């Protein structure tokens, strides 16, 4: 009997010991989870406080000018903008310059009241597709960044009036969808790598001011006159060798800058551009020499206060050149041939 009791006691002791170990293991397994949860909770609380601190700092950048609430950052390092910024959706204008900003946040569409988005002089390489949801946007300024392409969704910003994309260096084309921007009147594409004026730009019938200086334009489109409302066109520092005759159909054109190109001639039809107030043909290898000194003397005699250096290759120069070209063409036709 004693052996049986001992045996039973041993079995019970072993069972109790085994169950105790199992329970201990379970507690040990559960304990790290509790630690992880505690750590996670602390991290969440830390993030909350950190976001509050960042948000408080961003709120200091709010200013009100002319009744418009502006978010302004300048010369501070902000490569990325924090998500907490969405708490400031009442902002109407962004002015973020020289911060090293690399991306426009995808939550930009949450700022439905923004009318001006000025992010020039940063390091932005891409515009998010969400930009197309900003229906009230009137000005988008992204000059001096690192953009290589423009999303087609930008064409849905139906109220966009001003677009600046100068000095992005690798930008060489625009999506056709941009021709849908019926209210766009000011476009700056200077100092990029365009070889031609994009079709989407020629299709902007409401465009009034276009700068494509400092690109690699080798020619102008034959249908350039489709931009019938254009009054200012900058084409300096390109590789233009000739001008299309349809340029003369642009009767709204008042300013035309063609300096530093490869033009050999000035089309005779440009003589009829009555509204052209300022034109510049300086630093072009034109075929005929015109006495610019005589022209300059004429300006002095007439008491013209305009910039003499500029006018030497301006509108008067254009008319004198065309007259000289017409005269030389007539002389060639009237030279008697041998035996006549």
């Amino acid at each position: 009997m004693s052996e049986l009791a001992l045996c039973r006691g041993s079995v019970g002791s072993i069972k109790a010991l085994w169950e105790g170990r199992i329970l201990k293991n379970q507690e040990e397994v559960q304990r790290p989870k509790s630690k992880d949860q505690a750590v996670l909770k602390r991290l969440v609380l830390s993030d909350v406080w950190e976001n509050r601190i960042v948000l408080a700092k961003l709120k200091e950048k709010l200013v009100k000018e002319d009744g418009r609430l502006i978010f302004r950052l300048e010369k501070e390092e902000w490569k990325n903008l924090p998500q907490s910024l969405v708490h400031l959706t009442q902002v109407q204008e962004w002015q973020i310059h020289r911060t090293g900003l690399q991306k426009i946040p995808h939550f930009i569409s949450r700022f439905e009241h923004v009318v001006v988005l000025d992010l020039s002089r940063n390091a932005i390489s891409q515009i998010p597709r969400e930009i197309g949801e900003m229906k009230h946007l009137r000005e988008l300024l992204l000059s001096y960044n690192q953009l290589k392409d423009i999303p087609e969704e930008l064409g849905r910003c139906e109220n966009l009036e001003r677009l600046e994309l100068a000095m992005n260096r690798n930008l060489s084309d625009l999506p056709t969808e941009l021709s849908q921007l019926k209210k766009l009147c000011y476009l700056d594409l200077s100092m990029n790598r365009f070889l031609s004026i994009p079709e989407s730009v020629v299709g902007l019938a409401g465009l009034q001011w276009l700068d494509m200086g400092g690109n690699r334009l080798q020619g102008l489109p034959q249908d350039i006159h489709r931009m019938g409302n254009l009054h200012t066109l900058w084409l300096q520092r390109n590789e233009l060798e000739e001008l299309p005759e349809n340029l003369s159909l642009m009767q709204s054109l008042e300013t035309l800058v063609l300096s530093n190109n490869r033009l050999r001639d000035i089309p005779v039809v440009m003589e009829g551009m009555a509204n052209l107030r300022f034109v510049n043909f300086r630093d072009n290898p034109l075929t005929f020499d015109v006495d610019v000194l005589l022209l300059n003397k004429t300006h002095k005699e007439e008491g013209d206060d305009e910039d003499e250096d500029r006018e030497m290759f301006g509108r008067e120069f254009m008319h004198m050149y065309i007259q000289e070209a017409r005269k030389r063409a007539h002389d060639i036709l009237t030279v008697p041939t041998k035996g006549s």
Side-chain angles (χ1 to χ4, degrees):
M1 292 291 293
S2 58
E3 292 180 2
L4 181 59
L6 179 62
C7 183
R8 287 179 177 176
S10 299
V11 172
S13 299
I14 293 172
K15 182 179 180 183
L17 180 62
W18 182 254
E19 289 176 348
R21 289 183 177 180
I22 292 176
L23 182 60
K24 185 178 181 180
N25 287 336
Q26 288 177 344
E27 290 176 351
E28 289 178 353
V29 170
Q30 291 174 358
R31 192 175 297 121
K33 289 185 178 179
S34 299
K35 284 185 178 179
D36 290 345
Q37 290 173 353
V39 170
L40 181 60
K41 186 176 181 180
R42 285 197 298 272
L43 289 174
V44 170
L45 290 173
S46 176
D47 287 344
V48 170
W49 280 108
E50 187 174 325
N51 287 337
R52 287 182 180 179
I53 293 171
V54 171
L55 183 59
K57 184 177 180 180
L58 294 175
K59 283 183 177 179
E60 295 175 359
K61 308 300 179 181
L62 295 178
V63 295
K64 199 162 188 177
E65 294 180 0
D66 300 324
R68 181 182 294 178
L69 189 60
I70 301 172
F71 175 58
R72 181 175 292 156
L73 280 176
E74 183 111 15
K75 296 181 181 180
E76 295 184 23
E77 188 173 346
W78 288 88
K79 293 183 179 180
N80 295 288
L81 295 174
Q83 181 74 30
S84 57
L85 195 60
V86 297
H87 293 287
L88 306 179
T89 53
Q90 71 274 23
V91 170
Q92 297 164 288
E93 181 172 342
W94 283 25
Q95 293 181 5
I96 303 179
H97 307 144
R98 303 178 187 275
T99 66
L101 186 66
Q102 296 177 346
K103 294 181 180 180
I104 301 176
H106 291 279
F107 57 77
I108 187 67
S109 58
R110 301 274 292 274
F111 290 79
E112 58 183 25
H113 300 294
V114 167
V115 293
V116 177
L117 192 57
D118 184 356
L119 306 176
S120 52
R121 298 186 182 277
N122 284 291
I124 299 169
S125 60
Q126 189 175 20
I127 302 174
R129 299 184 183 278
E130 287 81 359
I131 194 79
E133 299 176 30
M134 303 185 72
K135 302 302 182 183
H136 294 96
L137 188 64
R138 293 205 299 265
E139 297 185 18
L140 178 59
L141 315 180
L142 288 167
S143 294
Y144 292 85
N145 275 285
Q146 298 175 14
L147 296 171
K148 295 180 180 179
D149 50 48
I150 306 300
E152 62 184 45
E153 285 78 7
L154 184 60
R156 289 161 34 197
C157 293
E158 55 194 31
N159 286 301
L160 196 64
E161 299 173 359
R162 185 184 187 100
L163 178 59
E164 295 186 10
L165 299 170
M167 197 63 177
N168 277 280
R169 296 185 180 276
N170 291 319
L171 190 61
S172 61
D173 198 10
L174 296 176
T176 57
E177 287 78 7
L178 290 198
S179 61
Q180 300 170 11
L181 299 173
K182 303 302 180 185
K183 294 185 179 181
L184 192 67
C185 58
Y186 184 105
L187 179 59
D188 189 351
L189 296 173
S190 60
M191 296 180 286
N192 288 303
R193 292 193 176 185
F194 288 92
L195 298 178
S196 62
I197 299 180
E199 175 61 26
S200 57
V201 174
V202 179
L204 293 168
L207 200 61
Q208 299 177 21
W209 198 100
L210 174 62
D211 190 348
M212 292 206 70
N215 279 279
R216 300 176 180 179
L217 302 183
Q218 299 174 358
L220 299 179
Q222 293 298 323
D223 59 347
I224 192 172
H225 59 286
R226 287 169 56 194
M227 294 186 285
N229 289 313
L230 202 66
H231 61 65
T232 301
L233 179 58
W234 295 78
L235 297 169
Q236 73 282 2
R237 297 193 307 278
N238 278 288
E239 301 173 12
L240 299 173
E241 296 184 358
E242 60 181 11
L243 302 174
E245 291 195 355
N246 281 343
L247 185 67
S248 64
L249 300 178
M250 302 179 72
Q251 292 302 314
S252 296
L253 202 59
E254 299 177 357
T255 298
L256 176 60
V257 182
L258 290 159
S259 54
N260 290 94
N261 274 281
R262 300 177 181 177
L263 295 172
R264 302 288 300 172
D265 282 300
I266 300 175
V268 174
V269 293
M270 288 185 67
E271 196 173 30
M273 299 179 71
N275 293 321
L276 194 60
R277 297 181 180 180
F278 174 72
V279 63
N280 193 332
F281 287 97
R282 175 173 288 282
D283 296 320
N284 278 281
L286 295 168
T287 301
F288 305 129
D289 293 326
V290 176
D291 192 351
V292 294
L293 295 178
L294 178 61
L295 178 61
N296 193 29
K297 180 180 178 181
T298 302
H299 279 302
K300 287 182 179 180
E301 291 174 352
E302 294 177 355
D304 198 332
D305 294 330
E306 292 184 10
D307 182 358
E308 295 170 2
D309 184 61
R310 181 188 70 181
E311 285 299 315
M312 280 201 304
F313 290 90
R315 186 176 60 176
E316 294 298 324
F317 170 83
M318 180 184 76
H319 288 295
M320 289 182 66
Y321 185 94
I322 291 174
Q323 291 173 10
E324 180 69 14
R326 187 181 284 118
K327 176 180 178 296
R328 296 197 184 192
H330 177 267
D331 291 345
I332 292 174
L333 291 175
T334 55
V335 169
T337 58
K338 291 182 179 181
S340 61

